[in-house]
Amino acid sequence: MDSIPANRRFWNRISSDYQHGHDPQIGAAPRLWGMYSIPDTHLHALGDVAGKRVLELGCGAGQWSRALAAEGATVVGLDVSEAQLAAAARAMGAAGYPLVQGAAEQLPFAAGSFDLVFCDFGGLSWAPPHLAVPQAARVLRRGGRLVFNVASPWFEACYDEAASLVTPTLQRDYFGLNTIAEGDGATSYQLTYGDWVRVLRGAGLVIDDLIEPRPDPGTPNGYNETDPLDWAHRWPVRPVGFWKVGTV
Ligand SMILES: C[S@@+](CC[C@H](N)C(=O)[O-])C[C@H]1O[C@@H](n2cnc3c(N)ncnc32)[C@H](O)[C@@H]1O
């Protein structure tokens, strides 16, 4: 299924409201992961990027890319949405970096172009993983790293669509989550843990770690209501997984 056109339209349409609502949180400081804005200093997911060639898959307004560029990385921000890229261009600041319009499932880069490919609920959530993961592996140099977070299948299975609320009650099957309708024909993607392992290994990657962040009760979450409020302290939410993978 080709979700690129619908996802592009969706993000072009919501970009302004999304940045208005979320940039103050996710752009408040460098290197904040996900909807609970957990500092990378707590997770050690990315490491030192100075001097590295870095690709962000689905960079949005570039909150991450501009931080890594300021640290001395040679960053490319890729996104499918021109509205999101325009927001990134406006927010770029002094440490400039190139922006490329493209899709995670069809990367316009030569093999071995990057030392690090990463995203924070970006291209690996909004493109079919069986297409996007091999693309990420292809553009990594030998020994490079893919670091990314995606929503937890627990979160998706416990999301009560009618109430727009995440609860402890299972609403959907774990098996067969696959595609999540995001509105207006847009789609995000979800795999079982076993399928993630198979897709990553199938692309020639070696799994180093799966970090499951556990926000303290009371940590602000600017994205989804949960009941109980400390849901993410008790079950893995978004982000759940930083698959830290190296190429063989
Ligand atoms: C939730 S944002 C992630 C960006 C940033 N980390 C954030 O939290 O705002 C998802 C981004 O993925 C982009 N996107 C959607 N489908 C994509 C695709 N197939 N390839 C690359 N980027 C895509 C969207 O345009 C959007 O900017």
Side-chain angles (χ1 to χ4, degrees), residues 4 7 11 18-19 26 56-60 63-64 78-81 84 102-105 120-123 126-127 223:
I4 296 171
N7 283 359
W11 279 99
Y18 179 89
Q19 296 306 334
I26 63 180
E56 182 173 7
L57 291 177
C59 63
Q63 290 88 356
W64 269 97
L78 174 131
D79 203 284
V80 80
S81 153
Q84 291 283 78
E105 50 272 71
D120 183 359
F121 201 62
W126 294 87
Y223 284 76

